[in-house]
PDB file of all heavy atoms in Angstrom:
ATOM      1  N   ALA A   1      19.974  53.201  83.664  1.00 98.00           N
ATOM      2  CA  ALA A   1      20.089  52.917  82.234  1.00 98.00           C
ATOM      3  C   ALA A   1      20.270  51.420  81.999  1.00 98.00           C
ATOM      4  O   ALA A   1      19.658  50.828  81.082  1.00 98.00           O
ATOM      5  CB  ALA A   1      21.266  53.700  81.645  1.00 98.00           C
ATOM      6  N   GLU A   2      21.079  50.795  82.820  1.00 98.00           N
ATOM      7  CA  GLU A   2      21.323  49.352  82.682  1.00 98.00           C
ATOM      8  C   GLU A   2      20.081  48.534  82.979  1.00 98.00           C
ATOM      9  O   GLU A   2      19.850  47.489  82.343  1.00 98.00           O
ATOM     10  CB  GLU A   2      22.470  48.947  83.608  1.00 98.00           C
ATOM     11  CG  GLU A   2      23.811  49.496  83.159  1.00 98.00           C
ATOM     12  CD  GLU A   2      24.898  49.435  84.227  1.00 98.00           C
ATOM     13  OE1 GLU A   2      24.585  49.033  85.367  1.00 98.00           O
ATOM     14  OE2 GLU A   2      26.042  49.787  83.925  1.00 98.00           O
ATOM     15  N   GLU A   3      19.277  48.999  83.920  1.00 98.00           N
ATOM     16  CA  GLU A   3      18.047  48.261  84.240  1.00 98.00           C
ATOM     17  C   GLU A   3      17.063  48.288  83.076  1.00 98.00           C
ATOM     18  O   GLU A   3      16.412  47.280  82.791  1.00 98.00           O
ATOM     19  CB  GLU A   3      17.391  48.842  85.493  1.00 98.00           C
ATOM     20  CG  GLU A   3      18.132  48.546  86.792  1.00 98.00           C
ATOM     21  CD  GLU A   3      18.148  47.072  87.147  1.00 98.00           C
ATOM     22  OE1 GLU A   3      17.411  46.274  86.531  1.00 98.00           O
ATOM     23  OE2 GLU A   3      18.914  46.703  88.055  1.00 98.00           O
ATOM     24  N   TRP A   4      16.970  49.438  82.396  1.00 98.00           N
ATOM     25  CA  TRP A   4      16.057  49.494  81.251  1.00 98.00           C
ATOM     26  C   TRP A   4      16.547  48.615  80.115  1.00 98.00           C
ATOM     27  O   TRP A   4      15.759  47.968  79.429  1.00 98.00           O
ATOM     28  CB  TRP A   4      15.885  50.936  80.777  1.00 98.00           C
ATOM     29  CG  TRP A   4      14.938  51.726  81.627  1.00 98.00           C
ATOM     30  CD1 TRP A   4      15.205  52.874  82.299  1.00 98.00           C
ATOM     31  CD2 TRP A   4      13.569  51.408  81.905  1.00 98.00           C
ATOM     32  NE1 TRP A   4      14.090  53.295  82.989  1.00 98.00           N
ATOM     33  CE2 TRP A   4      13.067  52.414  82.760  1.00 98.00           C
ATOM     34  CE3 TRP A   4      12.713  50.382  81.526  1.00 98.00           C
ATOM     35  CZ2 TRP A   4      11.763  52.426  83.239  1.00 98.00           C
ATOM     36  CZ3 TRP A   4      11.407  50.378  82.001  1.00 98.00           C
ATOM     37  CH2 TRP A   4      10.940  51.388  82.836  1.00 98.00           C
ATOM     38  N   LEU A   5      17.860  48.560  79.908  1.00 98.00           N
ATOM     39  CA  LEU A   5      18.410  47.672  78.877  1.00 98.00           C
ATOM     40  C   LEU A   5      18.214  46.209  79.265  1.00 98.00           C
ATOM     41  O   LEU A   5      17.911  45.371  78.413  1.00 98.00           O
ATOM     42  CB  LEU A   5      19.897  47.968  78.671  1.00 98.00           C
ATOM     43  CG  LEU A   5      20.225  49.338  78.069  1.00 98.00           C
ATOM     44  CD1 LEU A   5      21.736  49.544  78.005  1.00 98.00           C
ATOM     45  CD2 LEU A   5      19.603  49.496  76.684  1.00 98.00           C
ATOM     46  N   ALA A   6      18.366  45.915  80.556  1.00 98.00           N
ATOM     47  CA  ALA A   6      18.156  44.542  81.029  1.00 98.00           C
ATOM     48  C   ALA A   6      16.692  44.142  80.873  1.00 98.00           C
ATOM     49  O   ALA A   6      16.376  43.008  80.504  1.00 98.00           O
ATOM     50  CB  ALA A   6      18.582  44.419  82.491  1.00 98.00           C
ATOM     51  N   TYR A   7      15.803  45.096  81.179  1.00 98.00           N
ATOM     52  CA  TYR A   7      14.366  44.837  80.990  1.00 98.00           C
ATOM     53  C   TYR A   7      14.091  44.445  79.544  1.00 98.00           C
ATOM     54  O   TYR A   7      13.423  43.443  79.274  1.00 98.00           O
ATOM     55  CB  TYR A   7      13.551  46.073  81.357  1.00 98.00           C
ATOM     56  CG  TYR A   7      12.102  45.991  80.898  1.00 98.00           C
ATOM     57  CD1 TYR A   7      11.156  45.287  81.647  1.00 98.00           C
ATOM     58  CD2 TYR A   7      11.707  46.582  79.704  1.00 98.00           C
ATOM     59  CE1 TYR A   7       9.838  45.187  81.212  1.00 98.00           C
ATOM     60  CE2 TYR A   7      10.398  46.484  79.264  1.00 98.00           C
ATOM     61  CZ  TYR A   7       9.470  45.788  80.017  1.00 98.00           C
ATOM     62  OH  TYR A   7       8.177  45.677  79.584  1.00 98.00           O
ATOM     63  N   TYR A   8      14.612  45.227  78.598  1.00 98.00           N
ATOM     64  CA  TYR A   8      14.359  44.940  77.187  1.00 98.00           C
ATOM     65  C   TYR A   8      14.973  43.612  76.780  1.00 98.00           C
ATOM     66  O   TYR A   8      14.376  42.853  76.005  1.00 98.00           O
ATOM     67  CB  TYR A   8      14.906  46.061  76.305  1.00 98.00           C
ATOM     68  CG  TYR A   8      14.576  45.852  74.850  1.00 98.00           C
ATOM     69  CD1 TYR A   8      13.303  46.149  74.360  1.00 98.00           C
ATOM     70  CD2 TYR A   8      15.515  45.308  73.973  1.00 98.00           C
ATOM     71  CE1 TYR A   8      12.982  45.926  73.033  1.00 98.00           C
ATOM     72  CE2 TYR A   8      15.198  45.086  72.644  1.00 98.00           C
ATOM     73  CZ  TYR A   8      13.931  45.396  72.181  1.00 98.00           C
ATOM     74  OH  TYR A   8      13.610  45.164  70.862  1.00 98.00           O
ATOM     75  N   GLN A   9      16.179  43.339  77.288  1.00 97.00           N
ATOM     76  CA  GLN A   9      16.855  42.083  76.927  1.00 97.00           C
ATOM     77  C   GLN A   9      16.022  40.882  77.334  1.00 97.00           C
ATOM     78  O   GLN A   9      15.886  39.923  76.565  1.00 97.00           O
ATOM     79  CB  GLN A   9      18.230  42.029  77.585  1.00 97.00           C
ATOM     80  CG  GLN A   9      19.049  40.801  77.197  1.00 97.00           C
ATOM     81  CD  GLN A   9      20.499  40.922  77.628  1.00 97.00           C
ATOM     82  OE1 GLN A   9      21.025  42.035  77.768  1.00 97.00           O
ATOM     83  NE2 GLN A   9      21.156  39.802  77.836  1.00 97.00           N
ATOM     84  N   TYR A  10      15.461  40.913  78.530  1.00 98.00           N
ATOM     85  CA  TYR A  10      14.600  39.811  78.977  1.00 98.00           C
ATOM     86  C   TYR A  10      13.281  39.802  78.206  1.00 98.00           C
ATOM     87  O   TYR A  10      12.780  38.735  77.822  1.00 98.00           O
ATOM     88  CB  TYR A  10      14.322  39.924  80.470  1.00 98.00           C
ATOM     89  CG  TYR A  10      15.409  39.356  81.345  1.00 98.00           C
ATOM     90  CD1 TYR A  10      16.064  40.144  82.292  1.00 98.00           C
ATOM     91  CD2 TYR A  10      15.789  38.020  81.246  1.00 98.00           C
ATOM     92  CE1 TYR A  10      17.060  39.616  83.108  1.00 98.00           C
ATOM     93  CE2 TYR A  10      16.784  37.489  82.051  1.00 98.00           C
ATOM     94  CZ  TYR A  10      17.412  38.292  82.975  1.00 98.00           C
ATOM     95  OH  TYR A  10      18.397  37.765  83.774  1.00 98.00           O
ATOM     96  N   TRP A  11      12.726  40.975  77.994  1.00 98.00           N
ATOM     97  CA  TRP A  11      11.415  41.078  77.336  1.00 98.00           C
ATOM     98  C   TRP A  11      11.472  40.530  75.917  1.00 98.00           C
ATOM     99  O   TRP A  11      10.639  39.722  75.517  1.00 98.00           O
ATOM    100  CB  TRP A  11      10.966  42.541  77.330  1.00 98.00           C
ATOM    101  CG  TRP A  11       9.676  42.777  76.611  1.00 98.00           C
ATOM    102  CD1 TRP A  11       8.410  42.572  77.084  1.00 98.00           C
ATOM    103  CD2 TRP A  11       9.531  43.264  75.272  1.00 98.00           C
ATOM    104  NE1 TRP A  11       7.488  42.900  76.112  1.00 98.00           N
ATOM    105  CE2 TRP A  11       8.146  43.330  74.999  1.00 98.00           C
ATOM    106  CE3 TRP A  11      10.438  43.658  74.284  1.00 98.00           C
ATOM    107  CZ2 TRP A  11       7.654  43.771  73.773  1.00 98.00           C
ATOM    108  CZ3 TRP A  11       9.945  44.097  73.065  1.00 98.00           C
ATOM    109  CH2 TRP A  11       8.563  44.155  72.814  1.00 98.00           C
ATOM    110  N   VAL A  12      12.482  40.981  75.150  1.00 97.00           N
ATOM    111  CA  VAL A  12      12.572  40.518  73.766  1.00 97.00           C
ATOM    112  C   VAL A  12      12.994  39.053  73.725  1.00 97.00           C
ATOM    113  O   VAL A  12      12.574  38.294  72.839  1.00 97.00           O
ATOM    114  CB  VAL A  12      13.537  41.412  72.954  1.00 97.00           C
ATOM    115  CG1 VAL A  12      15.003  41.110  73.261  1.00 97.00           C
ATOM    116  CG2 VAL A  12      13.280  41.269  71.467  1.00 97.00           C
ATOM    117  N   GLY A  13      13.828  38.624  74.690  1.00 97.00           N
ATOM    118  CA  GLY A  13      14.226  37.219  74.746  1.00 97.00           C
ATOM    119  C   GLY A  13      13.037  36.294  74.936  1.00 97.00           C
ATOM    120  O   GLY A  13      12.967  35.214  74.342  1.00 97.00           O
ATOM    121  N   ALA A  14      12.079  36.737  75.758  1.00 97.00           N
ATOM    122  CA  ALA A  14      10.877  35.935  75.989  1.00 97.00           C
ATOM    123  C   ALA A  14      10.054  35.788  74.713  1.00 97.00           C
ATOM    124  O   ALA A  14       9.362  34.781  74.516  1.00 97.00           O
ATOM    125  CB  ALA A  14      10.025  36.563  77.094  1.00 97.00           C
ATOM    126  N   LEU A  15      10.145  36.764  73.832  1.00 97.00           N
ATOM    127  CA  LEU A  15       9.373  36.726  72.584  1.00 97.00           C
ATOM    128  C   LEU A  15       9.983  35.784  71.546  1.00 97.00           C
ATOM    129  O   LEU A  15       9.255  35.141  70.790  1.00 97.00           O
ATOM    130  CB  LEU A  15       9.283  38.128  71.982  1.00 97.00           C
ATOM    131  CG  LEU A  15       8.471  39.174  72.751  1.00 97.00           C
ATOM    132  CD1 LEU A  15       8.557  40.510  72.036  1.00 97.00           C
ATOM    133  CD2 LEU A  15       7.018  38.738  72.889  1.00 97.00           C
ATOM    134  N   VAL A  16      11.307  35.712  71.508  1.00 97.00           N
ATOM    135  CA  VAL A  16      11.963  35.009  70.393  1.00 97.00           C
ATOM    136  C   VAL A  16      12.591  33.677  70.776  1.00 97.00           C
ATOM    137  O   VAL A  16      13.050  32.947  69.896  1.00 97.00           O
ATOM    138  CB  VAL A  16      13.051  35.905  69.751  1.00 97.00           C
ATOM    139  CG1 VAL A  16      12.445  37.200  69.243  1.00 97.00           C
ATOM    140  CG2 VAL A  16      14.184  36.193  70.738  1.00 97.00           C
ATOM    141  N   VAL A  17      12.626  33.335  72.068  1.00 97.00           N
ATOM    142  CA  VAL A  17      13.332  32.125  72.492  1.00 97.00           C
ATOM    143  C   VAL A  17      12.773  30.886  71.793  1.00 97.00           C
ATOM    144  O   VAL A  17      11.566  30.748  71.587  1.00 97.00           O
ATOM    145  CB  VAL A  17      13.258  31.960  74.031  1.00 97.00           C
ATOM    146  CG1 VAL A  17      11.814  31.778  74.510  1.00 97.00           C
ATOM    147  CG2 VAL A  17      14.124  30.787  74.501  1.00 97.00           C
ATOM    148  N   GLU A  18      13.670  29.975  71.440  1.00 96.00           N
ATOM    149  CA  GLU A  18      13.309  28.738  70.755  1.00 96.00           C
ATOM    150  C   GLU A  18      14.028  27.571  71.417  1.00 96.00           C
ATOM    151  O   GLU A  18      14.927  27.748  72.220  1.00 96.00           O
ATOM    152  CB  GLU A  18      13.715  28.798  69.269  1.00 96.00           C
ATOM    153  CG  GLU A  18      13.063  29.907  68.476  1.00 96.00           C
ATOM    154  CD  GLU A  18      13.619  30.017  67.067  1.00 96.00           C
ATOM    155  OE1 GLU A  18      14.647  29.341  66.789  1.00 96.00           O
ATOM    156  OE2 GLU A  18      13.059  30.770  66.263  1.00 96.00           O
ATOM    157  N   GLY A  19      13.611  26.367  71.031  1.00 91.00           N
ATOM    158  CA  GLY A  19      14.338  25.170  71.441  1.00 91.00           C
ATOM    159  C   GLY A  19      13.840  24.549  72.723  1.00 91.00           C
ATOM    160  O   GLY A  19      12.713  24.793  73.166  1.00 91.00           O
ATOM    161  N   ALA A  20      14.726  23.730  73.320  1.00 82.00           N
ATOM    162  CA  ALA A  20      14.369  22.951  74.500  1.00 82.00           C
ATOM    163  C   ALA A  20      13.941  23.856  75.638  1.00 82.00           C
ATOM    164  O   ALA A  20      14.498  24.921  75.856  1.00 82.00           O
ATOM    165  CB  ALA A  20      15.563  22.093  74.935  1.00 82.00           C
ATOM    166  N   MET A  21      12.917  23.427  76.363  1.00 90.00           N
ATOM    167  CA  MET A  21      12.422  24.133  77.545  1.00 90.00           C
ATOM    168  C   MET A  21      11.940  25.548  77.210  1.00 90.00           C
ATOM    169  O   MET A  21      11.984  26.447  78.052  1.00 90.00           O
ATOM    170  CB  MET A  21      13.506  24.186  78.630  1.00 90.00           C
ATOM    171  CG  MET A  21      13.970  22.816  79.088  1.00 90.00           C
ATOM    172  SD  MET A  21      15.351  22.891  80.233  1.00 90.00           S
ATOM    173  CE  MET A  21      14.596  23.747  81.609  1.00 90.00           C
ATOM    174  N   ARG A  22      11.492  25.766  76.003  1.00 93.00           N
ATOM    175  CA  ARG A  22      11.099  27.107  75.559  1.00 93.00           C
ATOM    176  C   ARG A  22      10.080  27.742  76.502  1.00 93.00           C
ATOM    177  O   ARG A  22      10.243  28.897  76.917  1.00 93.00           O
ATOM    178  CB  ARG A  22      10.519  27.048  74.149  1.00 93.00           C
ATOM    179  CG  ARG A  22       9.981  28.402  73.665  1.00 93.00           C
ATOM    180  CD  ARG A  22       9.307  28.294  72.305  1.00 93.00           C
ATOM    181  NE  ARG A  22       8.755  29.563  71.896  1.00 93.00           N
ATOM    182  CZ  ARG A  22       7.582  30.024  72.281  1.00 93.00           C
ATOM    183  NH1 ARG A  22       6.816  29.300  73.101  1.00 93.00           N
ATOM    184  NH2 ARG A  22       7.151  31.200  71.878  1.00 93.00           N
ATOM    185  N   ALA A  23       9.023  27.017  76.850  1.00 95.00           N
ATOM    186  CA  ALA A  23       7.963  27.595  77.677  1.00 95.00           C
ATOM    187  C   ALA A  23       8.486  27.993  79.058  1.00 95.00           C
ATOM    188  O   ALA A  23       8.155  29.068  79.574  1.00 95.00           O
ATOM    189  CB  ALA A  23       6.803  26.603  77.812  1.00 95.00           C
ATOM    190  N   ASP A  24       9.320  27.144  79.646  1.00 95.00           N
ATOM    191  CA  ASP A  24       9.866  27.438  80.977  1.00 95.00           C
ATOM    192  C   ASP A  24      10.799  28.648  80.937  1.00 95.00           C
ATOM    193  O   ASP A  24      10.723  29.531  81.802  1.00 95.00           O
ATOM    194  CB  ASP A  24      10.624  26.227  81.520  1.00 95.00           C
ATOM    195  CG  ASP A  24       9.714  25.065  81.869  1.00 95.00           C
ATOM    196  OD1 ASP A  24       8.502  25.306  82.050  1.00 95.00           O
ATOM    197  OD2 ASP A  24      10.195  23.925  81.953  1.00 95.00           O
ATOM    198  N   VAL A  25      11.670  28.682  79.948  1.00 96.00           N
ATOM    199  CA  VAL A  25      12.616  29.795  79.829  1.00 96.00           C
ATOM    200  C   VAL A  25      11.870  31.092  79.538  1.00 96.00           C
ATOM    201  O   VAL A  25      12.201  32.156  80.075  1.00 96.00           O
ATOM    202  CB  VAL A  25      13.663  29.506  78.728  1.00 96.00           C
ATOM    203  CG1 VAL A  25      14.543  30.727  78.476  1.00 96.00           C
ATOM    204  CG2 VAL A  25      14.525  28.311  79.127  1.00 96.00           C
ATOM    205  N   GLN A  26      10.853  31.014  78.700  1.00 97.00           N
ATOM    206  CA  GLN A  26      10.054  32.197  78.390  1.00 97.00           C
ATOM    207  C   GLN A  26       9.421  32.771  79.653  1.00 97.00           C
ATOM    208  O   GLN A  26       9.466  33.986  79.892  1.00 97.00           O
ATOM    209  CB  GLN A  26       8.963  31.830  77.383  1.00 97.00           C
ATOM    210  CG  GLN A  26       8.110  33.001  76.924  1.00 97.00           C
ATOM    211  CD  GLN A  26       7.049  32.567  75.917  1.00 97.00           C
ATOM    212  OE1 GLN A  26       6.292  31.629  76.170  1.00 97.00           O
ATOM    213  NE2 GLN A  26       7.010  33.231  74.784  1.00 97.00           N
TER     214      GLN A  26
END
């Protein structure tokens, strides 16, 4: 269950991340 939540957390984070180093963090 935690892995699926972690997957979503990273997945959605890659979509919305802003600011410095955005491309690298994405």
Side-chain angles (χ1 to χ4, degrees):
E2 291 165 356
E3 288 294 348
W4 281 122
L5 293 176
Y7 167 81
Y8 184 78
Q9 184 168 334
Y10 277 122
W11 177 81
V12 76
L15 293 177
V16 301
V17 63
E18 300 173 350
M21 300 174 64
R22 175 185 177 277
D24 291 340
V25 173
Q26 183 180 52

